[in-house]
Amino acid sequence: MVVSNRVPVPKDGSTKAGGLAIALEGALKESGGLWFGWSGNIVGDASDKPEVVQGGKITFAVVDLTQQDYDEYYAGFANRALWPVCHYRLDLVQLERSDTDGYFRVNRAFAASLARLLQPDDIIWIHDYHFIPLAAELRKLGFNNRIGFFLHIPWPPSDVASALPAYERLLRGLGAYDVVGFHTPLDVENFQQCLVREGIGQPMGPNEYQVDGRRIRVEPFPVGIDTQAFARTAVSGEKNALVRRTKASMGDRDLIIGVDRLDYSKGIKQRIESFSCFLKSSPAFHNRVTYIQITPKSRSDVPEYKRMQHEIAEQAGWTNGNFGEVDWTPIRYVNQTVGHAALAGLYRMSQVGLVTPLRDGMNLVAKEFVAAQPPEDPGVLILSRFAGAAHELNGALLVNPYDTEACAAAITRALQMPLAERQERWITMWERLQTNTVGAWCRQFLSCLADSAAEAEEEPLEPKRARVRSRSPRRQATRA
Ligand code: F6P
């Protein structure tokens, strides 16, 4: 059973394609399972009885939220407290007692709805920052199922994390899971530091802690994509009508592409500054290159997001006004969602992928860009060192997104990179993406959850010296 706030319930054949939704859909569509979460609807009076919809092998079960729930749990605590803190943006944190109360209240309500569907042998895999306390609420209701948690955003060092309201309660809430997973070893290290510094988690062995009498495992599981399938989509995407029109409109100019939700964590402002800096320092590229930034609006009812919509639009307009020519618009900035096939085709025709978040859990755009490239003439990925993907994609040009001059130099270098170097860089990333697929991510997490169950049965709960983990093949979990 999978739980996430957004659930891509099939409606008119369309799904919401966020990073989390894509990852989980890829993982679940073959094995099948039940996917529980928010319906996306706000209603006057929310029932705790989930609405159930069948979509292929996946059963979707969703509940509505009231306006107050949405404001306090989603727009408030999740996106004005947890999101900025986890993205190291203490300057943007908004603390409201009512939001904190609402977050825990909604988690209690989700647990009560979920309880209606649960069987004693169900393995439950809960996703993302909206649901940190969900396992603790289920435990209170008497459920002893194996419950795993995966965080799709970064986890900051303890000095930053401790700015969270209800910090200790959140840490103890994570202690109610059997396995807690993060994207990178850095996130794991930060979380372990929080457990130890607060005296909440007692080390039991490598990556194992005792929290309030329970044993938890804390491990990195870097999420991937369905690499082969995405590469195929990119090939067929070349025939997509939007891709063909875009290609025709480019003439013989090179294409730089950026694709991000409109979010301050994505570093779009710094990226446009870097592009301006590149244009200023490299006049030879004027009218030779176009930068397309595809940026669907996001969380527009959160004030910090509304503010940045104006800022970015103004900045793109200013750059075009300053550097553009009658027959050349340097930046095409669009607030639209582009379909999967068209996006894959656009990545494939791009010479440069610009993925420069100020902080990101993983960033699947980076992986999709690499998977979409033609091996005989691959484009260059410019990637922020602060994206989780930087831990794996070392064939990218890694940049500090705050250093706009260095990013501008990386753009010039990418556009001038010889074919042999582009191929060499691309092949190492492609090979990595073939191994770390979304399917592998799913299997590794579930296998760790199953192992943790076996170990809990075998071993008494006593602190012990570090030991080497068994190398025996992990038992395969059969149900999610
Ligand atoms: O990055 C975390 C995440 O949950 C992504 O997985 C997802 O694409 C995005 O946030 C969606 O945000 P929201 O549900 O608020 O639109």
Side-chain angles (χ1 to χ4, degrees):
M1 180 174 287
V2 163
V3 182
S4 66
N5 179 60
R6 295 272 182 191
V7 179
V9 180
K11 282 178 198 150
D12 310 325
S14 68
T15 54
K16 179 173 173 23
L20 181 151
I22 289 174
L24 288 179
E25 208 165 18
L28 269 186
K29 73 181 173 210
E30 279 171 25
S31 63
L34 196 139
W35 193 339
F36 173 81
W38 176 38
S39 63
N41 298 329
I42 297 173
V43 297
D45 190 15
S47 157
D48 66 352
K49 186 162 177 250
E51 186 197 337
V52 177
V53 177
Q54 195 63 35
K57 283 188 179 174
I58 309 176
T59 306
F60 297 94
V62 289
V63 288
D64 301 328
L65 291 177
T66 65
Q67 187 66 51
Q68 185 187 358
D69 288 345
Y70 175 86
D71 290 345
E72 293 174 353
Y73 145 82
Y74 175 80
F77 193 83
N79 285 317
R80 298 191 85 187
L82 274 169
W83 182 274
V85 172
C86 288
H87 288 86
Y88 299 59
R89 291 299 300 269
L90 298 189
D91 56 318
L92 296 178
V93 178
Q94 294 295 322
L95 303 183
E96 301 280 349
R97 174 66 66 85
S98 55
D99 290 348
T100 309
D101 294 345
Y103 177 77
F104 286 95
R105 182 188 69 244
V106 170
N107 267 273
R108 205 156 43 247
F110 269 110
S113 300
L114 189 54
R116 289 167 164 268
L117 305 165
L118 274 180
Q119 301 295 320
D121 62 343
D122 279 335
I123 291 174
I124 310 165
W125 189 7
I126 295 174
H127 292 262
D128 233 354
Y129 58 105
H130 313 87
F131 289 134
I132 291 174
L134 195 53
E137 295 298 339
L138 287 169
R139 303 281 182 225
K140 278 190 216 156
L141 295 175
F143 288 97
N144 288 319
N145 301 50
R146 305 312 296 171
I147 313 182
F149 178 82
F150 188 82
L151 187 71
H152 289 257
I153 62 176
W155 186 271
S158 66
D159 261 3
V160 178
S162 60
L164 280 168
Y167 177 50
E168 189 180 325
R169 196 170 166 194
L170 290 168
L171 287 180
R172 290 194 187 281
L174 286 164
Y177 290 91
D178 297 295
V179 174
V180 176
F182 299 90
H183 281 304
T184 69
L186 177 66
D187 300 314
V188 168
E189 199 183 305
N190 288 340
F191 179 65
Q192 290 175 337
Q193 186 193 48
C194 292
L195 286 181
V196 172
R197 276 211 185 162
E198 290 306 307
I200 285 175
Q202 196 176 2
M204 303 279 292
N207 295 345
E208 282 188 5
Y209 291 82
Q210 183 181 331
V211 179
D212 295 335
R214 292 187 53 82
R215 182 203 306 261
I216 66 162
R217 224 124 102 212
V218 184
E219 303 244 9
F221 300 92
V223 72
I225 58 170
D226 189 343
T227 311
Q228 292 284 353
F230 198 83
R232 284 194 298 274
T233 308
V235 173
S236 55
E238 284 180 315
K239 298 193 194 83
N240 178 281
L242 174 67
V243 176
R244 285 160 72 137
R245 285 202 306 276
T246 309
K247 201 167 205 159
S249 72
M250 292 290 299
D252 57 359
R253 293 185 196 97
D254 282 338
L255 174 58
I256 300 176
I257 193 160
V259 178
D260 315 78
R261 282 185 309 105
L262 187 53
D263 194 301
Y264 49 79
S265 64
K266 302 294 182 186
I268 303 169
K269 182 169 173 276
Q270 288 77 1
R271 196 180 307 166
I272 295 178
E273 261 166 43
S274 301
F275 184 69
S276 293
C277 183
F278 154 76
L279 291 177
K280 199 168 167 197
S281 58
S282 305
F285 281 102
H286 287 201
N287 216 336
R288 307 295 320 138
V289 63
T290 296
Y291 164 30
I292 296 184
Q293 177 64 44
I294 298 171
T295 302
K297 285 187 185 163
S298 171
R299 304 176 191 167
S300 303
D301 41 3
V302 176
E304 292 73 30
Y305 287 73
K306 198 176 277 171
R307 254 202 314 277
M308 82 165 282
Q309 283 179 19
H310 295 289
E311 283 171 15
I312 303 286
E314 195 175 32
Q315 203 190 359
W318 184 89
T319 307
N320 284 336
N322 208 28
F323 295 101
E325 294 168 14
V326 174
D327 63 342
W328 173 55
T329 307
I331 307 183
R332 298 188 196 171
Y333 172 64
V334 284
N335 293 133
Q336 273 174 17
T337 303
V338 172
H340 208 51
L343 216 44
L346 290 171
Y347 291 147
R348 192 172 175 85
M349 64 175 267
S350 301
Q351 279 63 48
V352 179
L354 214 38
V355 184
T356 56
L358 303 180
R359 190 64 63 173
D360 216 334
M362 172 53 68
N363 198 303
L364 294 181
V365 169
K367 294 192 169 183
E368 290 180 347
F369 177 82
V370 172
Q373 294 310 303
E376 66 285 359
D377 186 19
V380 179
L381 175 64
I382 297 181
L383 179 62
S384 162
R385 59 186 300 154
F386 302 125
H391 288 255
E392 293 171 84
L393 302 181
N394 51 12
L397 291 181
L398 292 184
V399 292
N400 168 3
Y402 296 94
D403 187 344
T404 49
E405 285 178 22
C407 289
I411 295 174
T412 309
R413 182 171 169 204
L415 289 167
Q416 293 175 334
M417 191 178 285
L419 176 63
E421 184 181 350
R422 281 189 278 129
Q423 285 178 321
E424 197 181 320
R425 286 174 173 275
W426 176 80
I427 196 77
T428 59
M429 297 192 282
W430 169 252
E431 280 166 1
R432 181 60 89 98
L433 293 186
Q434 304 257 56
T435 316
N436 289 4
T437 60
V438 67
W441 169 73
C442 188
R443 282 191 296 279
Q444 279 158 11
F445 188 95
L446 291 176
S447 160
C448 182
L449 195 52
D451 269 6
S452 71
E455 280 174 18
E457 276 164 26
E458 284 161 18
E459 294 177 31
L461 195 55
E462 277 169 23
K464 54 182 180 275
R465 288 157 70 90
R467 65 189 166 74
V468 178
R469 274 228 333 260
S470 155
R471 290 270 162 218
S472 62
R474 286 172 167 167
R475 288 194 312 159
Q476 292 291 312
T478 50
R479 242 188 114 186

